[in-house]
Each structure stands twice: as structure tokens, then as C-alpha cells.
Amino acid sequence: MSPNVQTFYADAVLFDMDGTLTDSIAAVEAAWGKVAKDIGQDPAYVIAATHGKRAIDNLAQFKPHIKAHEMDDEVQNFEESILYFADAYNTHGPGSQANSPFTNTPLSSGFATPEMSMTPNSSAPSSRASSFASVRRPSFASRLNNMLTMSAVPEASVYGQGPYFEDSIMEEDHQDIMVSEDNQKLLEKHRLEAWQQEAASVDRSVRILPGVKRMMNSIPEGRYAVATSGAKTYAYGCMTRVGIVPPKVTITADDKRLKAGKPAPDPFLLAASELGFSAKNCVVFEDSPSGIRAGVASGAMVIAVCTSHERKQIEHVGAHFVVENMESVRCEPCADGRLKFTVQL
């Protein structure tokens, strides 16, 4: 046999998901980039530090203010943002047949307060704004307190005609507050749309990686599992988007049986156990340094694929074989029940 071709046998296969079966790296990095901007950190640093690790561990590191009882919701919200980044181009952007819902809501650089608003084609304050300086009024705090302590809602407002105020100054204050609240809502709406518009401008669709379909089709049912650092929302969302039916044994990061995530071996040990095999008799497919370390620590034979990292970044982490992608690996069921693997190096 050629020295560039190696053969070995195993009982079952344990797949990582993202970067191994699917490619949603662009969407994941965009989501972590958004987290980085939200907390004022360097996106490149946060993206590098989070790859291959559970969202729960990453969020605990970068958002330590999240309380324990809030974490499950935070993880789900984060993973839903990954899927939004993955789908936005084809749902709301150029890949969509329908017009984006954002095209008619351009971003604004901000909203002036009513007293500082300008008249069209003029740098001078509006006539209403100018009038504020000519009338001495009670302080805003006292006026607001008077409004809040009114004993009843004016009758006209009950019938949809808007409230009536005997005091014209109070009426103006009421209008100012209503406009201010509306402007605040618009600001929040546009801030939200800023990242959504960016998400829709770039195609970050989830894709199946080379050789994956053939590999998975060659393994008998019940002889392979997925062990991923993604929680269920993200993991199942990614696989179903590329036509992969999540196997019965799919270990996700939110599995309460796990004491630790990768680079600890726990996800692979649990997956192997659920299949009914020892991890030492399994083969692990991984793409990230932390995942490779987890596979090696589990005792499995580890095949690293260069689908998300350059070879030099993963070739010295401990994998038994390093290949470009799954096209370089063949699996054949044997008569004795074992699986024969042939690796083209």
C-alpha cells in the first residue's frame, strides 16, 4: 500500500458539526462579531477566542453579567442570531425574490429633539423652537410631575379624540413627551435594522462540506453520531438547512448530562456511550483545535479536516490524520461489523 494511503478500522463515527459537516463559519463569525461590537471588544479577538467552544462558555467569558437563570435564553437568542445571519441574504437581501423589508426604512444618523429641530433648508431653529425661549415656564420636572399627578384622563381622550388640556403649556409638554417617546422607538428600530441590513448584504448561507454526503451515506444507521459545541437551536438549524437529518444520537452543548464542553472529551464520550461503543474504538472527525483536543482526549482516532483552519494551525494539535476534507476519506462496512477507513494523505 502506498505510504500516502493509510487504513484502519473502527466501530463507529463521531462527527463534529460546524466546520466538519456544515460550513456556517461566516454566520457564526458575524454573530460573534456583533457580540464583540455590543461589548466594545475587538471582533477579531472575540471570533478567534470563541471558535469550536460552546456558546454558553463563550458568553460566560465575554458577558459575565449574565445571570445563571438567564443563560439558556441568552444562548438561544445568540444562536437564533447565527441563523438570521445565515438566512438574511436569501430572505431579505439580493438573494430574495421579494424586496427587502428594510429598503423603505433607511438608516438615520439620529433624531433631533423637538426643541432643536430645524426648518427645511434652514440652519435656524423652527419657529416653535424659537418660541420656547420667549416664554418663562415652570421647570420640566415640575411640569412633568403635574402631568403624572392628574387625577383623571381628559374625557376626549377616552373617545379617541386626544386629551384636552386647559393649560396650553401642559399641552405642549404632553406633545413633547409623546414625540420624544416616538423618536426613541425609532432610534431603537433603526439601530436594530443596522445589523440586519448588514446581515442581508452578504451571503452567509449554511453549506454542506465536500465529501460529507458520501461519507454519511456510507455509514450504517446507528453507527454514527454528532457531538457539537452548538446548542440544539443552532445545531439542528444548520443540519436541516443543508439536507442532513440529525442522527438519533446528536449531543448538543445544552445537553444537561455534559459536565464540560470541548476541549474536554465529554461530548465525544457521551456520544460514543449513547451509540453503545467505547470512544477508543471510534473515529472522530473534527476541524478546530479545541475539538481535535477533545477527540484525542476521548481516546478516539482523530481525523482533522482543513475546512475552517489552515493546515499549520491544526497539524500539531494531536490528530492522527490531517486531510483537506472528507473527500480524502473512504468508509466501507465490513462483514464482521467493523468499519474500514481508507485515508488518502
Side-chain angles (χ1 to χ4, degrees):
M1 181 175 289
S2 168
N4 292 327
V5 178
Q6 298 290 322
T7 299
F8 66 91
Y9 296 84
D11 289 333
V13 184
L14 311 176
F15 293 108
D16 170 53
M17 187 197 70
D18 196 41
T20 301
L21 299 178
T22 64
D23 178 8
S24 64
I25 298 298
V28 172
E29 291 186 348
W32 282 119
K34 180 179 181 299
V35 169
K37 292 176 183 177
D38 290 344
I39 62 176
Q41 293 260 12
D42 175 24
Y45 169 72
V46 173
I47 290 168
T50 55
H51 190 81
K53 300 175 184 176
R54 300 186 301 175
I56 186 172
D57 297 327
N58 291 327
L59 289 172
Q61 176 184 351
F62 289 104
K63 289 189 169 184
H65 62 277
I66 298 175
K67 296 179 174 61
H69 69 275
E70 300 171 335
M71 186 57 79
D72 285 348
D73 287 340
E74 290 289 336
V75 169
Q76 181 167 341
N77 290 338
F78 171 73
E79 296 203 338
E80 286 175 353
S81 79
I82 297 176
L83 298 178
Y84 186 93
F85 275 108
D87 296 340
Y89 181 86
N90 291 313
T91 303
H92 304 302
S96 164
Q97 294 299 317
N99 290 329
S100 166
F102 311 122
T103 54
N104 294 321
T105 54
L107 287 177
S108 168
S109 59
F111 295 86
T113 59
E115 295 191 13
M116 294 300 294
S117 61
M118 305 296 178
T119 56
N121 303 317
S122 170
S123 59
S126 67
S127 59
R128 178 162 180 248
S130 300
S131 70
F132 291 160
S134 63
V135 179
R136 296 186 63 184
R137 300 189 292 179
S139 70
F140 179 77
S142 62
R143 288 181 279 126
L144 180 60
N145 183 65
N146 289 337
M147 292 181 66
L148 293 176
T149 55
M150 286 189 300
S151 60
V153 177
E155 183 179 357
S157 68
V158 176
Y159 296 97
Q161 298 176 17
Y164 170 76
F165 299 95
E166 292 182 359
D167 185 337
S168 61
I169 293 178
M170 187 174 288
E171 181 178 5
E172 287 187 4
D173 292 337
H174 173 78
Q175 292 173 356
D176 288 347
I177 292 172
M178 294 302 102
V179 170
S180 178
E181 288 180 353
D182 288 344
N183 284 349
Q184 184 61 34
K185 290 176 182 177
L186 285 170
L187 276 170
E188 292 173 359
K189 179 173 181 286
H190 283 287
R191 276 197 292 265
L192 179 64
E193 288 176 359
W195 74 267
Q196 288 179 325
Q197 288 190 41
E198 192 283 329
S201 69
V202 179
D203 187 0
R204 300 184 178 93
S205 303
V206 183
R207 294 175 172 82
I208 193 166
L209 286 164
V212 168
K213 186 175 294 187
R214 176 188 52 75
M215 175 60 70
M216 297 188 82
N217 287 340
S218 67
I219 306 171
E221 186 176 354
R223 302 294 290 278
Y224 67 92
V226 168
T228 175
S229 293
K232 193 170 185 178
T233 297
Y234 165 54
Y236 281 68
C238 280
M239 286 189 278
T240 55
R241 275 165 171 76
V242 297
I244 296 175
V245 177
K248 182 178 180 180
V249 178
T250 295
I251 307 301
T252 55
D254 47 356
D255 192 313
K256 300 305 181 184
R257 295 171 294 178
L258 293 175
K259 293 182 179 180
K262 302 172 187 177
D266 301 39
F268 291 126
L269 293 173
L270 179 58
S273 176
E274 288 295 296
L275 287 175
F277 300 102
S278 168
K280 294 180 180 180
N281 297 324
C282 294
V283 56
V284 162
F285 282 90
E286 261 288 357
D287 71 297
S288 71
S290 64
I292 293 168
R293 292 188 179 98
V296 172
S298 75
M301 182 75 72
V302 179
I303 300 177
V305 289
C306 302
T307 46
S308 66
H309 291 74
E310 295 180 10
R311 179 179 288 267
K312 64 183 180 181
Q313 295 176 294
I314 60 175
E315 63 183 352
H316 300 301
V317 182
H320 300 85
F321 303 100
V322 180
V323 297
E324 290 305 307
N325 53 53
M326 280 191 213
E327 293 282 8
S328 300
V329 185
R330 294 288 186 273
C331 175
E332 303 171 61
C334 300
D336 61 4
R338 294 185 302 168
L339 303 174
K340 177 184 177 181
F341 289 88
T342 303
V343 183
Q344 180 72 50
L345 299 175

PDB file of all heavy atoms in Angstrom, residues 166-185:
ATOM      1  N   GLU A 166     -56.494  72.383  29.630  1.00  0.00           N
ATOM      2  CA  GLU A 166     -56.833  73.792  29.778  1.00  0.00           C
ATOM      3  C   GLU A 166     -55.571  74.644  29.726  1.00  0.00           C
ATOM      4  O   GLU A 166     -55.597  75.784  29.278  1.00  0.00           O
ATOM      5  CB  GLU A 166     -57.559  74.004  31.111  1.00  0.00           C
ATOM      6  CG  GLU A 166     -58.939  73.350  31.155  1.00  0.00           C
ATOM      7  CD  GLU A 166     -59.640  73.622  32.467  1.00  0.00           C
ATOM      8  OE1 GLU A 166     -59.030  74.296  33.339  1.00  0.00           O
ATOM      9  OE2 GLU A 166     -60.784  73.163  32.629  1.00  0.00           O
ATOM     10  N   ASP A 167     -54.469  74.087  30.196  1.00  0.00           N
ATOM     11  CA  ASP A 167     -53.192  74.802  30.210  1.00  0.00           C
ATOM     12  C   ASP A 167     -52.463  74.494  28.904  1.00  0.00           C
ATOM     13  O   ASP A 167     -52.082  73.353  28.636  1.00  0.00           O
ATOM     14  CB  ASP A 167     -52.367  74.329  31.412  1.00  0.00           C
ATOM     15  CG  ASP A 167     -51.070  75.121  31.577  1.00  0.00           C
ATOM     16  OD1 ASP A 167     -50.599  75.691  30.576  1.00  0.00           O
ATOM     17  OD2 ASP A 167     -50.535  75.134  32.700  1.00  0.00           O
ATOM     18  N   SER A 168     -52.238  75.530  28.077  1.00  0.00           N
ATOM     19  CA  SER A 168     -51.594  75.307  26.777  1.00  0.00           C
ATOM     20  C   SER A 168     -50.150  74.835  26.934  1.00  0.00           C
ATOM     21  O   SER A 168     -49.632  74.090  26.116  1.00  0.00           O
ATOM     22  CB  SER A 168     -51.625  76.596  25.946  1.00  0.00           C
ATOM     23  OG  SER A 168     -50.915  77.631  26.612  1.00  0.00           O
ATOM     24  N   ILE A 169     -49.496  75.277  27.997  1.00  0.00           N
ATOM     25  CA  ILE A 169     -48.113  74.843  28.231  1.00  0.00           C
ATOM     26  C   ILE A 169     -48.076  73.364  28.536  1.00  0.00           C
ATOM     27  O   ILE A 169     -47.232  72.616  28.054  1.00  0.00           O
ATOM     28  CB  ILE A 169     -47.481  75.651  29.390  1.00  0.00           C
ATOM     29  CG1 ILE A 169     -47.317  77.114  28.970  1.00  0.00           C
ATOM     30  CG2 ILE A 169     -46.137  75.059  29.785  1.00  0.00           C
ATOM     31  CD1 ILE A 169     -46.760  78.004  30.059  1.00  0.00           C
ATOM     32  N   MET A 170     -49.044  72.906  29.343  1.00  0.00           N
ATOM     33  CA  MET A 170     -49.115  71.492  29.658  1.00  0.00           C
ATOM     34  C   MET A 170     -49.383  70.667  28.407  1.00  0.00           C
ATOM     35  O   MET A 170     -48.846  69.573  28.234  1.00  0.00           O
ATOM     36  CB  MET A 170     -50.197  71.232  30.710  1.00  0.00           C
ATOM     37  CG  MET A 170     -50.233  69.803  31.224  1.00  0.00           C
ATOM     38  SD  MET A 170     -51.400  69.584  32.573  1.00  0.00           S
ATOM     39  CE  MET A 170     -50.548  70.443  33.886  1.00  0.00           C
ATOM     40  N   GLU A 171     -50.215  71.229  27.526  1.00  0.00           N
ATOM     41  CA  GLU A 171     -50.497  70.524  26.271  1.00  0.00           C
ATOM     42  C   GLU A 171     -49.225  70.382  25.441  1.00  0.00           C
ATOM     43  O   GLU A 171     -48.951  69.333  24.869  1.00  0.00           O
ATOM     44  CB  GLU A 171     -51.561  71.274  25.475  1.00  0.00           C
ATOM     45  CG  GLU A 171     -51.926  70.584  24.163  1.00  0.00           C
ATOM     46  CD  GLU A 171     -53.028  71.311  23.411  1.00  0.00           C
ATOM     47  OE1 GLU A 171     -53.450  72.393  23.856  1.00  0.00           O
ATOM     48  OE2 GLU A 171     -53.457  70.776  22.366  1.00  0.00           O
ATOM     49  N   GLU A 172     -48.405  71.445  25.390  1.00  0.00           N
ATOM     50  CA  GLU A 172     -47.150  71.376  24.654  1.00  0.00           C
ATOM     51  C   GLU A 172     -46.205  70.355  25.278  1.00  0.00           C
ATOM     52  O   GLU A 172     -45.525  69.599  24.590  1.00  0.00           O
ATOM     53  CB  GLU A 172     -46.476  72.748  24.618  1.00  0.00           C
ATOM     54  CG  GLU A 172     -47.159  73.748  23.693  1.00  0.00           C
ATOM     55  CD  GLU A 172     -46.356  75.032  23.566  1.00  0.00           C
ATOM     56  OE1 GLU A 172     -45.235  75.089  24.137  1.00  0.00           O
ATOM     57  OE2 GLU A 172     -46.834  75.940  22.890  1.00  0.00           O
ATOM     58  N   ASP A 173     -46.169  70.315  26.614  1.00  0.00           N
ATOM     59  CA  ASP A 173     -45.324  69.346  27.294  1.00  0.00           C
ATOM     60  C   ASP A 173     -45.752  67.919  26.948  1.00  0.00           C
ATOM     61  O   ASP A 173     -44.914  67.034  26.736  1.00  0.00           O
ATOM     62  CB  ASP A 173     -45.406  69.540  28.814  1.00  0.00           C
ATOM     63  CG  ASP A 173     -44.765  70.840  29.254  1.00  0.00           C
ATOM     64  OD1 ASP A 173     -43.915  71.341  28.491  1.00  0.00           O
ATOM     65  OD2 ASP A 173     -45.118  71.339  30.338  1.00  0.00           O
ATOM     66  N   HIS A 174     -47.044  67.707  26.932  1.00  0.00           N
ATOM     67  CA  HIS A 174     -47.562  66.380  26.582  1.00  0.00           C
ATOM     68  C   HIS A 174     -47.111  65.978  25.177  1.00  0.00           C
ATOM     69  O   HIS A 174     -46.657  64.858  24.945  1.00  0.00           O
ATOM     70  CB  HIS A 174     -49.091  66.391  26.667  1.00  0.00           C
ATOM     71  CG  HIS A 174     -49.725  65.132  26.173  1.00  0.00           C
ATOM     72  ND1 HIS A 174     -49.770  63.981  26.926  1.00  0.00           N
ATOM     73  CD2 HIS A 174     -50.325  64.836  24.977  1.00  0.00           C
ATOM     74  CE1 HIS A 174     -50.377  63.034  26.243  1.00  0.00           C
ATOM     75  NE2 HIS A 174     -50.730  63.527  25.059  1.00  0.00           N
ATOM     76  N   GLN A 175     -47.200  66.923  24.256  1.00  0.00           N
ATOM     77  CA  GLN A 175     -46.789  66.644  22.875  1.00  0.00           C
ATOM     78  C   GLN A 175     -45.294  66.363  22.810  1.00  0.00           C
ATOM     79  O   GLN A 175     -44.839  65.468  22.087  1.00  0.00           O
ATOM     80  CB  GLN A 175     -47.152  67.818  21.976  1.00  0.00           C
ATOM     81  CG  GLN A 175     -48.657  68.010  21.790  1.00  0.00           C
ATOM     82  CD  GLN A 175     -48.982  69.286  21.037  1.00  0.00           C
ATOM     83  OE1 GLN A 175     -48.090  70.077  20.721  1.00  0.00           O
ATOM     84  NE2 GLN A 175     -50.262  69.495  20.757  1.00  0.00           N
ATOM     85  N   ASP A 176     -44.499  67.140  23.584  1.00  0.00           N
ATOM     86  CA  ASP A 176     -43.046  66.916  23.593  1.00  0.00           C
ATOM     87  C   ASP A 176     -42.708  65.502  24.050  1.00  0.00           C
ATOM     88  O   ASP A 176     -41.855  64.821  23.479  1.00  0.00           O
ATOM     89  CB  ASP A 176     -42.364  67.917  24.529  1.00  0.00           C
ATOM     90  CG  ASP A 176     -42.358  69.319  23.956  1.00  0.00           C
ATOM     91  OD1 ASP A 176     -42.659  69.468  22.756  1.00  0.00           O
ATOM     92  OD2 ASP A 176     -42.049  70.266  24.724  1.00  0.00           O
ATOM     93  N   ILE A 177     -43.386  65.056  25.116  1.00  0.00           N
ATOM     94  CA  ILE A 177     -43.106  63.724  25.644  1.00  0.00           C
ATOM     95  C   ILE A 177     -43.493  62.650  24.643  1.00  0.00           C
ATOM     96  O   ILE A 177     -42.767  61.684  24.427  1.00  0.00           O
ATOM     97  CB  ILE A 177     -43.855  63.518  26.980  1.00  0.00           C
ATOM     98  CG1 ILE A 177     -43.248  64.421  28.047  1.00  0.00           C
ATOM     99  CG2 ILE A 177     -43.780  62.065  27.431  1.00  0.00           C
ATOM    100  CD1 ILE A 177     -44.036  64.445  29.345  1.00  0.00           C
ATOM    101  N   MET A 178     -44.647  62.834  23.990  1.00  0.00           N
ATOM    102  CA  MET A 178     -45.090  61.848  23.005  1.00  0.00           C
ATOM    103  C   MET A 178     -44.107  61.768  21.838  1.00  0.00           C
ATOM    104  O   MET A 178     -43.730  60.694  21.380  1.00  0.00           O
ATOM    105  CB  MET A 178     -46.492  62.201  22.480  1.00  0.00           C
ATOM    106  CG  MET A 178     -47.602  62.122  23.511  1.00  0.00           C
ATOM    107  SD  MET A 178     -47.766  60.477  24.268  1.00  0.00           S
ATOM    108  CE  MET A 178     -46.952  60.759  25.854  1.00  0.00           C
ATOM    109  N   VAL A 179     -43.655  62.935  21.359  1.00  0.00           N
ATOM    110  CA  VAL A 179     -42.698  62.952  20.248  1.00  0.00           C
ATOM    111  C   VAL A 179     -41.381  62.327  20.665  1.00  0.00           C
ATOM    112  O   VAL A 179     -40.760  61.553  19.937  1.00  0.00           O
ATOM    113  CB  VAL A 179     -42.478  64.402  19.743  1.00  0.00           C
ATOM    114  CG1 VAL A 179     -41.314  64.459  18.758  1.00  0.00           C
ATOM    115  CG2 VAL A 179     -43.750  64.925  19.085  1.00  0.00           C
ATOM    116  N   SER A 180     -40.927  62.641  21.890  1.00  0.00           N
ATOM    117  CA  SER A 180     -39.667  62.092  22.384  1.00  0.00           C
ATOM    118  C   SER A 180     -39.723  60.564  22.454  1.00  0.00           C
ATOM    119  O   SER A 180     -38.776  59.881  22.077  1.00  0.00           O
ATOM    120  CB  SER A 180     -39.359  62.676  23.758  1.00  0.00           C
ATOM    121  OG  SER A 180     -38.170  62.126  24.276  1.00  0.00           O
ATOM    122  N   GLU A 181     -40.862  60.043  22.959  1.00  0.00           N
ATOM    123  CA  GLU A 181     -41.008  58.586  23.038  1.00  0.00           C
ATOM    124  C   GLU A 181     -41.017  57.960  21.655  1.00  0.00           C
ATOM    125  O   GLU A 181     -40.406  56.913  21.425  1.00  0.00           O
ATOM    126  CB  GLU A 181     -42.302  58.245  23.781  1.00  0.00           C
ATOM    127  CG  GLU A 181     -42.243  58.532  25.272  1.00  0.00           C
ATOM    128  CD  GLU A 181     -43.542  58.192  25.968  1.00  0.00           C
ATOM    129  OE1 GLU A 181     -44.524  57.863  25.259  1.00  0.00           O
ATOM    130  OE2 GLU A 181     -43.584  58.243  27.207  1.00  0.00           O
ATOM    131  N   ASP A 182     -41.698  58.615  20.715  1.00  0.00           N
ATOM    132  CA  ASP A 182     -41.739  58.088  19.345  1.00  0.00           C
ATOM    133  C   ASP A 182     -40.347  58.084  18.728  1.00  0.00           C
ATOM    134  O   ASP A 182     -39.948  57.125  18.058  1.00  0.00           O
ATOM    135  CB  ASP A 182     -42.678  58.933  18.473  1.00  0.00           C
ATOM    136  CG  ASP A 182     -44.143  58.708  18.827  1.00  0.00           C
ATOM    137  OD1 ASP A 182     -44.426  57.705  19.508  1.00  0.00           O
ATOM    138  OD2 ASP A 182     -44.989  59.532  18.435  1.00  0.00           O
ATOM    139  N   ASN A 183     -39.592  59.164  18.968  1.00  0.00           N
ATOM    140  CA  ASN A 183     -38.239  59.236  18.414  1.00  0.00           C
ATOM    141  C   ASN A 183     -37.337  58.165  19.016  1.00  0.00           C
ATOM    142  O   ASN A 183     -36.498  57.582  18.327  1.00  0.00           O
ATOM    143  CB  ASN A 183     -37.635  60.622  18.665  1.00  0.00           C
ATOM    144  CG  ASN A 183     -38.203  61.674  17.733  1.00  0.00           C
ATOM    145  OD1 ASN A 183     -38.892  61.344  16.766  1.00  0.00           O
ATOM    146  ND2 ASN A 183     -37.945  62.940  18.026  1.00  0.00           N
ATOM    147  N   GLN A 184     -37.509  57.912  20.315  1.00  0.00           N
ATOM    148  CA  GLN A 184     -36.705  56.873  20.967  1.00  0.00           C
ATOM    149  C   GLN A 184     -37.000  55.507  20.363  1.00  0.00           C
ATOM    150  O   GLN A 184     -36.092  54.711  20.118  1.00  0.00           O
ATOM    151  CB  GLN A 184     -36.984  56.857  22.474  1.00  0.00           C
ATOM    152  CG  GLN A 184     -36.118  55.874  23.246  1.00  0.00           C
ATOM    153  CD  GLN A 184     -34.633  56.183  23.136  1.00  0.00           C
ATOM    154  OE1 GLN A 184     -34.253  57.357  23.052  1.00  0.00           O
ATOM    155  NE2 GLN A 184     -33.805  55.161  23.105  1.00  0.00           N
ATOM    156  N   LYS A 185     -38.283  55.248  20.118  1.00  0.00           N
ATOM    157  CA  LYS A 185     -38.657  53.978  19.495  1.00  0.00           C
ATOM    158  C   LYS A 185     -38.064  53.858  18.102  1.00  0.00           C
ATOM    159  O   LYS A 185     -37.591  52.794  17.695  1.00  0.00           O
ATOM    160  CB  LYS A 185     -40.171  53.852  19.437  1.00  0.00           C
ATOM    161  CG  LYS A 185     -40.827  53.661  20.800  1.00  0.00           C
ATOM    162  CD  LYS A 185     -42.346  53.635  20.690  1.00  0.00           C
ATOM    163  CE  LYS A 185     -42.993  53.495  22.058  1.00  0.00           C
ATOM    164  NZ  LYS A 185     -44.477  53.546  21.961  1.00  0.00           N
TER     165      LYS A 185
END
